[in-house]
Amino acid sequence: MRIDFLGLEAFLSIANWGSFHRAAGHLNLSQTALSHRLKKLEEDLGVKLVARSTRRLSLTPAGLELLPTAQKLIDDLSTSLDTLRRQGKEQQERIAIGCLPTIAIHHLPQVLAEFQATHPLLAVRVYDNSVSELIEHVRSGEAEFAVTIVSANRWDLDIIPLIKEPFVLVCPEGHPLAKRETADWQDLAGVPLIRISAQTGNRLLIDDALASRREMMTWRYEVQHVATAIGMVAAGVGCTVVPKLGISTVRVSGVAVVGLRNPSVARTLGIITRRDHPLSPAAETLARMVQSHFRLLPG
């Protein structure tokens, strides 16, 4: 059923002001236009709503019956529109994104500095969480997009691949493997290793790539963050295997970075968004800046 909101607005204004002249002025309409809206509403309903004489204006029984319902309908609509306007304004003033902690530490600040130059008044919330948490932030709409490990089995998410990132060995400078450019996984047999929590997604990639050979590894310690593992390596506690971008952009004293092969293990980073939910203009701009940043990284 079509609802004549303009007609209802005209009717309510006439009822509240008790005068066609004052009601027309309130709506910034001519009296002719106001009368036309009321007449159209009355014709649609098939009843007279307003009785007019040369001396006074009054509501008909049908008008009196419609008045409270029409007032509530317009009030509810006005409240809903105000809420949507407020939400729209908040979205224009603030966006939320997600990002893996290693990327958030070493790469996101540079992108946000560039973004701030073009959006100086916009607030940005960053969820620097695990892969599973980032996916839920995007699915729930808490974050407009996230930079994370991507896989093809996310039916409800759209994916923009960014970079394929290899895993590397990080060992103490005095370790026998420290002076080598590359090492085989079998060289790590018996070496005390520090692994990152399964929640990060990195552990599953490594386990899948190694298959049965993972039984040769001595995973003596487990931590939640790459930075913690690297700090333990610097202290000589053991070695760790981390994504290259987690250490390649910073200098850490006391550690060496060695390539790994046989097998080579890598993860694909990308931007995930909710399918069929377009990004806000500001988030779209920031996502493009993230893509540009990763395109400029050395291979």
Side-chain angles (χ1 to χ4, degrees):
M1 176 182 175
R2 184 179 62 84
I3 298 176
D4 183 0
F5 286 102
L6 292 179
L8 287 174
E9 183 184 48
F11 165 69
L12 287 173
S13 187
I14 293 167
N16 291 329
W17 286 97
S19 161
F20 271 75
H21 174 70
R22 284 181 290 179
H26 173 69
L27 295 178
N28 198 25
L29 294 172
S30 67
Q31 290 191 55
T32 301
L34 182 71
S35 297
H36 177 74
R37 289 187 182 183
L38 177 64
K39 181 180 179 182
K40 185 172 180 298
L41 176 65
E42 290 176 331
E43 289 176 349
D44 284 346
L45 296 177
V47 293
K48 276 283 189 181
L49 299 174
V50 176
R52 220 175 6 169
S53 68
T54 55
R55 293 187 176 182
R56 62 190 297 264
L57 179 152
S58 61
L59 299 184
T60 66
L64 290 171
E65 182 179 351
L66 176 64
L67 182 61
T69 302
Q71 189 67 63
K72 184 177 186 307
L73 178 65
I74 295 298
D75 287 346
D76 289 347
L77 178 62
S78 178
T79 299
S80 296
L81 292 177
D82 286 343
T83 299
L84 289 173
R85 288 191 190 98
R86 186 173 63 254
Q87 291 174 348
K89 185 178 180 182
E90 289 174 354
Q91 287 179 354
Q92 292 172 3
E93 296 174 346
R94 175 182 58 83
I95 61 173
I97 65 170
C99 192
L100 291 174
T102 50
I103 304 302
I105 292 170
H106 303 307
H107 295 273
L108 189 60
Q110 182 180 339
V111 178
L112 289 179
E114 180 185 353
F115 181 73
Q116 185 183 43
T118 57
H119 296 74
L121 301 180
L122 190 74
V124 181
R125 171 176 289 177
V126 178
Y127 293 101
D128 48 344
N129 298 125
S130 67
V131 174
S132 58
E133 290 171 316
L134 292 178
I135 290 172
E136 289 309 309
H137 284 317
V138 172
R139 280 177 171 161
S140 68
E142 290 178 279
E144 291 202 57
F145 70 83
V147 182
T148 184
I149 301 171
V150 300
S151 58
N153 60 347
R154 307 293 183 190
W155 63 268
D156 55 343
L157 301 174
D158 286 326
I159 296 171
I160 303 172
L162 292 173
I163 193 172
K164 194 167 185 179
E165 176 190 17
F167 283 80
V168 294
L169 173 68
V170 183
C171 55
E173 282 184 341
H175 194 276
L177 297 173
K179 297 189 182 302
R180 295 172 56 170
E181 289 188 7
T182 60
D184 288 359
W185 279 91
Q186 66 182 15
D187 296 330
L188 302 183
V191 175
L193 296 174
I194 305 157
R195 79 188 312 170
I196 316 297
S197 166
Q199 284 189 330
T200 64
N202 296 330
R203 179 163 151 186
L204 185 60
L205 288 171
I206 292 172
D207 285 349
D208 285 348
L210 291 179
S212 61
R213 279 176 288 186
R214 65 177 179 267
E215 302 301 328
M216 301 187 308
M217 303 296 107
T218 305
W219 300 106
R220 187 163 295 171
Y221 304 95
E222 180 173 312
V223 299
Q224 303 301 307
H225 302 288
V226 169
T228 306
I230 293 173
M232 292 172 67
V233 173
V237 172
C239 300
T240 192
V241 176
V242 299
K244 186 178 180 181
L245 293 181
I247 192 170
S248 62
T249 58
V250 294
R251 291 186 176 274
V252 182
S253 60
V255 307
V257 179
V258 180
L260 277 172
R261 61 183 185 181
N262 296 325
S264 296
V265 184
R267 66 179 187 177
T268 299
L269 297 180
I271 295 174
I272 60 171
T273 61
R274 277 196 299 172
R275 183 159 293 169
D276 300 325
H277 286 77
L279 297 178
S280 66
E284 180 72 38
T285 298
L286 182 54
R288 286 199 302 267
M289 288 181 174
V290 171
Q291 293 175 65
S292 297
H293 174 80
F294 280 91
R295 278 197 296 266
L296 294 175
L297 291 180

